[in-house]
Amino acid sequence: MNAAPDAAAQLRDALLKDTVAWCAANSPYYRRTFGEVAQGFRGLEDLARLPVLTRAQIVENHRDLQCDPSLPAALQHTTGTTGAFLQIHRGAAEQAFVWDFFAKQLEDNPPQGLRPLYLNLINAYHGALTGMPSHAYVLSAGVFDRAQAQQARGLLERTYDLPGVEPRVSMVMGTERMIKALTAYLLADGFDLAGSSVQVITLFGGHVTPARKRLLGDLWGATVRDRYSLTEMFGGAAEVGLGGPWVFDLHVVPEVVHPRTLQPIDHGIGVLLLTALYPFTQQMPFVRYFTGDLVEVVEPASALGGLQVQYVGRLTRSVIDATGDEVKPLLLSGPLYEVLEAVPDLA
C-alpha cells in the first residue's frame, strides 16, 4: 500500500525536474524569472523557491512564455469570465505524446465485454480540444439551441447496432453548463431521465455544488462524477464522492499557498497552484500557476496518497481575512452558492 504514493511522488519529482529544465532552456520568460533556482533544481523540494505565475503575467508575457515558437497544433482559450482572456498554444509534439501515452495505457488494459457508448456534449467555449484515446465509442451532440438538444434526445432514445459496442448510451459527459442545459431541456420536453439507459453523468469545468450534483443524480438515476479542470492546464483532479476531497492527476503538481504571502501551507484554507508537467505540456507549460480557486487542505502533500483538497470557492467571489498567518473565511462562494440554490425563487 505504501509503494503507490512513493511511486507517484517520484514520478512527479522526475517530471518536474525535466519541466524546469525545459522551461529554463527554451522560454525567455522562465529563464529570466527562474534565475539561479533553475541551476541544480532539486525537484519537489525546490518548487516553492520558484515564482508564482498569474494569468495577468501570462497575458503580458505571452510570447516569451512559449517554449516552442512553431505553429501550434491547436489554440485553446479561457472564457475570460474570471480574469483576462487568455489563449494557450498546444504543440504537435505534446499532443502526439499525450495520445501515444494514453493509447498505450488502453493497450495494456484492454476492455472486457462490449465497449461503452458515451454521449459527449461538445462546446465551443475553449477552442480546439486535445484529442484523447478512449475505450468508449463516443457520439457527439450540442445543446446550444433547441434543434441540437432535440438531436441529443434522439441519440439518447436510439438503440444502436454497432459491432462490439453497447446498444444504448450509458454515460453523458460535458461541461457543467452543458449538462444543466440538456437536463433542463429534457425535463421540459417530457423526457424520462430516470428511465433512460444513462448510468453515469460526468461533469467538468465550472463549480457545481454537492446539492446540485445530488439533484442531477436523482433526476437521471445515475452516478455523478465531477472533474476539476482548467483550460490552462492539461490534467486536473477527480472528486471522490459527492462533496468529497479532490485527488489530483499524476501529470500535474498541486500546491496550496497563502493568498497574501504565497507561502505554501499544509492545513487550512489557501489558493490552489498547479504546475503542468513536461512532456504532457510542452509549447506553453505553466509553472506554479495561480488558479484563483480557494481550497481547504484535507490531506497535506506529505500524507499517504498525496495532497487532497476541498473546493470552497473562487477567491474573487469570496470574503476572507488573510492578514494573519492563517486565512479566516468570512463568506466563501462555494457554500454560499449551495445556500442560494436551495431558495426556489433564485435562479
Side-chain angles (χ1 to χ4, degrees):
M1 293 295 291
N2 292 331
D6 290 343
Q10 290 173 10
L11 175 63
R12 283 187 174 127
D13 192 61
L15 294 183
L16 181 60
K17 292 173 184 175
D18 292 343
T19 301
V20 170
W22 170 262
C23 291
N26 297 286
S27 161
Y29 177 83
Y30 284 127
R31 194 157 47 242
R32 186 168 64 247
T33 57
F34 284 178
E36 296 181 357
V37 180
Q39 301 173 11
F41 182 75
R42 295 174 296 177
L44 292 172
E45 63 181 294
D46 276 350
L47 182 57
R49 298 176 61 201
L50 296 175
V52 171
L53 179 67
T54 66
R55 187 188 295 193
Q57 289 170 326
I58 297 172
V59 172
E60 184 178 348
N61 300 276
H62 195 267
R63 180 179 293 275
D64 282 354
L65 264 163
Q66 296 174 37
C67 292
D68 175 6
S70 65
L71 182 68
L75 287 177
Q76 298 171 355
H77 50 262
T78 62
T79 57
T81 56
T82 56
F85 177 81
L86 172 63
Q87 279 203 324
I88 298 98
H89 293 196
R90 301 294 188 204
E94 66 193 89
Q95 292 206 333
F97 173 82
V98 165
W99 184 273
D100 291 343
F101 178 86
F102 288 100
K104 177 60 177 174
Q105 287 193 326
L106 295 178
E107 180 183 323
D108 293 341
N109 299 279
Q112 303 298 318
L114 295 176
R115 294 174 61 184
L117 183 62
Y118 292 171
L119 175 61
N120 176 44
L121 303 180
I122 56 176
N123 74 86
Y125 295 113
H126 302 289
L129 301 180
T130 300
M132 296 283 290
S134 172
H135 281 325
Y137 192 89
V138 181
L139 307 173
S140 296
V143 291
F144 291 101
D145 55 35
R146 180 170 294 274
Q148 291 183 353
Q150 287 174 338
Q151 290 174 346
R153 174 172 179 162
L155 295 176
L156 290 172
E157 291 177 326
R158 183 171 178 177
T159 298
Y160 294 84
D161 184 17
L162 300 170
V165 179
E166 291 177 339
R168 301 289 300 275
V169 171
S170 60
M171 184 173 84
V172 178
M173 55 186 175
T175 64
E176 90 292 346
R177 66 181 69 185
M178 305 289 280
I179 294 290
K180 288 179 180 178
L182 178 62
T183 302
Y185 167 78
L186 292 175
L187 283 173
D189 204 44
F191 181 79
D192 182 10
L193 293 171
S196 75
S197 57
V198 176
Q199 300 173 19
V200 179
I201 300 292
T202 298
L203 306 164
F204 55 89
H207 172 58
V208 181
T209 66
R212 188 51 51 94
K213 281 182 277 199
R214 282 191 290 270
L215 175 60
L216 284 170
D218 291 342
L219 289 171
W220 285 88
T223 299
V224 176
R225 298 174 182 168
D226 199 358
R227 278 196 55 81
Y228 177 88
S229 62
L230 302 90
T231 310
E232 300 94 313
M233 199 68 42
F234 178 79
E239 185 183 35
V240 182
L242 297 186
W246 294 87
V247 178
F248 292 90
D249 297 332
L250 289 177
H251 43 281
V252 296
V253 177
E255 302 171 82
V256 182
V257 300
H258 191 285
R260 177 178 54 83
T261 67
L262 301 182
Q263 293 301 306
I265 62 173
D266 61 6
H267 66 279
I269 292 174
V271 176
L272 179 66
L273 304 185
L274 289 178
T275 294
L277 292 175
Y278 177 92
F280 294 91
T281 305
Q282 299 181 31
Q283 194 156 31
M284 283 189 74
F286 296 154
V287 177
R288 306 198 77 205
Y289 177 67
F290 189 92
T291 66
D293 286 325
L294 286 172
V295 296
E296 184 171 8
V297 176
V298 175
E299 294 286 352
S302 58
L304 185 69
L307 179 68
Q308 296 181 19
V309 302
Q310 186 84 42
Y311 178 87
V312 295
R314 292 290 296 180
L315 177 62
T316 55
R317 296 171 182 166
S318 301
V319 182
I320 60 172
D321 179 358
T323 56
D325 293 336
E326 294 191 11
V327 173
K328 296 179 181 179
L330 303 177
L331 186 62
L332 299 172
S333 66
L336 175 63
Y337 289 173
E338 181 129 15
V339 172
L340 293 179
E341 282 182 344
V343 181
D345 292 340
L346 293 180

